[in-house]
Amino acid sequence: MTEGARAGHEGGWVCYRCKVPLEVQTVRLQYLRTIFALNLPACPRCGMILIDEELAIGKMAEAVQALEDK
Amino acid sequence: MAVDRCLSWQNVRNIAGSCIRPGGSLLTERALQFCSLPRGSHVADIGCGAGGTLDYLERSGLCDAVGLDYSATLLKEAIPRFASMRLVRGQAESLPFKNSFFDALFCECVLSVLGERIKALHECVRVLREGGFLILSDVFAARSTALHRPAAHSHLPGAGRVLEKDDLVGFLNENGFSLLLWEEHEMLLKEFAATMILAGVSLSDLWNCSEESDGTKTNRRGLSYFLLVARKGPLR
């Protein structure tokens, strides 16, 4: 994450490569065969998506657990 | 007392669309394949929510559909989209419809949140004509999730207890229905749960272990989702 984006002024994120602020976009994430549409910060130029730690170890981990429950 | 069980609607709608249930309109479409409904059939969607199934039925153009829901919030969302259809605010346990009127009834992901399931099913029986189709889908206990079940229990107990196939099919048999289809869609339930989690909606009542006041314990593992189509009357 730190290589892809850095926190800019006023707490916003900036794409490290493109040097442009990230914008919230509807992005599609796939896990196994399931596709989810989520609103996440993304670089409008290169398309890099920012998934912060809270989302990754929070809701995403919980969602993965729900999919894998036997 | 009935409760307006509307979740944080805007958030859910953005993520899940207008069909707030596992499979969305996929299972509606699947069920219709087992119902021989001529054009102009009278169809009701009990617990229509914001109208996901009504959308599908209207696009199909084959029926005169009515939607009923208790949530004023969801009906308000549905009303602008259904000029040609009737939307009614009411409870599944007390349907404001004539006896033997409908050719088909949809009740999708509704029974499990009702307090008086038996009453609601008897209402479905009442308003469905002989030869009409009942389409149910819901969460159920695919494996024995009841770690302890009291000996004396009634069929289809109230909200909070997971539905069981034997209870449901038993009720339908006792009331003169023929089972046309029973399918289990566990993956659709998992995908729905994951979608809701990502939308920030808590499904803890459904997915966490719980213990009923009468001592019955349920475990989220072993839950699945069924699609059922039954015909009122004998098989033809």
Side-chain angles (χ1 to χ4, degrees):
Chain A
M1 183 195 305
T2 51
E3 289 182 0
R6 61 183 169 80
H9 297 298
E10 301 171 3
W13 287 92
V14 174
C15 176
Y16 189 81
R17 185 165 57 182
C18 305
K19 314 296 183 198
V20 297
L22 303 190
E23 297 173 358
V24 175
Q25 297 179 3
T26 300
V27 300
R28 293 161 71 83
L29 304 179
Q30 181 167 2
Y31 182 77
L32 301 176
R33 61 168 202 169
T34 309
I35 296 172
F36 302 98
L38 287 176
N39 292 328
L40 291 175
C43 174
R45 192 166 297 170
C46 70
M48 183 210 65
I49 298 165
L50 175 68
I51 297 173
D52 64 28
E53 186 177 3
E54 185 183 352
L55 176 63
I57 66 173
K59 287 180 187 174
M60 277 191 170
E62 198 181 341
V64 165
Q65 181 65 46
L67 286 169
E68 292 186 346
D69 264 350
K70 297 280 188 272
Chain B
M1 177 183 289
V3 179
D4 185 338
R5 294 172 186 275
C6 180
L7 306 169
S8 51
W9 171 238
Q10 283 301 334
N11 198 22
V12 174
R13 180 181 168 78
N14 288 343
I15 301 289
S18 59
C19 287
I20 315 174
R21 61 175 182 273
S25 61
L26 185 74
L27 296 184
T28 307
E29 182 179 1
R30 171 81 178 143
L32 278 172
Q33 294 171 0
F34 291 82
C35 307
S36 49
L37 291 173
R39 204 161 279 275
S41 296
H42 297 294
V43 177
D45 183 17
I46 309 302
C48 66
T53 291
L54 293 177
D55 264 331
Y56 184 84
L57 294 174
E58 187 171 63
R59 282 200 307 275
S60 76
L62 61 79
C63 60
D64 174 18
V66 175
L68 176 137
D69 205 283
Y70 188 74
S71 169
T73 311
L74 294 178
L75 286 176
K76 191 176 171 187
E77 180 80 18
I79 282 169
R81 309 206 312 277
F82 299 105
S84 65
M85 292 189 179
R86 290 182 56 222
L87 292 168
V88 181
R89 184 164 190 243
Q91 296 178 240
E93 296 95 332
S94 178
L95 296 176
F97 305 126
K98 292 187 291 189
N99 294 352
S100 304
F101 180 74
F102 290 103
D103 301 296
L105 285 182
F106 285 85
C107 192
E108 299 166 302
C109 210
V110 172
L111 274 183
S112 58
V113 299
L114 294 180
E116 298 181 88
R117 294 168 181 171
I118 285 275
K119 204 170 172 184
L121 282 169
H122 277 299
E123 280 293 87
C124 288
V125 174
R126 181 181 66 78
V127 303
L128 199 60
R129 73 164 173 80
E130 189 71 9
F133 299 94
L134 179 62
I135 297 104
L136 301 175
S137 64
D138 222 313
V139 176
F140 80 110
R143 295 191 292 276
S144 182
T145 59
L147 304 178
H148 164 66
R149 184 173 221 192
H153 68 276
S154 59
H155 282 322
L156 300 167
R161 182 84 59 80
V162 181
L163 289 165
E164 296 201 17
K165 179 182 178 183
D166 288 348
D167 291 343
L168 196 53
V169 173
F171 174 90
L172 294 173
N173 286 336
E174 287 166 14
N175 285 274
F177 280 77
S178 305
L179 190 64
L180 303 182
L181 176 71
W182 173 277
E183 286 182 345
E184 299 179 9
H185 296 276
E186 184 180 358
M187 198 59 211
L188 291 180
L189 179 63
K190 289 178 176 180
E191 289 175 354
F192 178 75
T195 301
M196 291 296 103
I197 289 165
L198 290 171
V201 176
S202 170
L203 293 178
S204 57
D205 288 346
L206 173 64
W207 288 89
N208 284 345
C209 296
S210 62
E211 184 167 354
E212 311 302 329
S213 57
D214 65 2
T216 296
K217 294 176 180 177
T218 55
N219 186 316
R220 72 178 180 183
R221 288 180 181 170
L223 293 184
S224 187
Y225 198 79
F226 71 82
L227 171 65
L228 176 161
V229 180
R231 184 174 178 274
K232 188 176 178 182
L235 285 172
R236 279 189 285 202

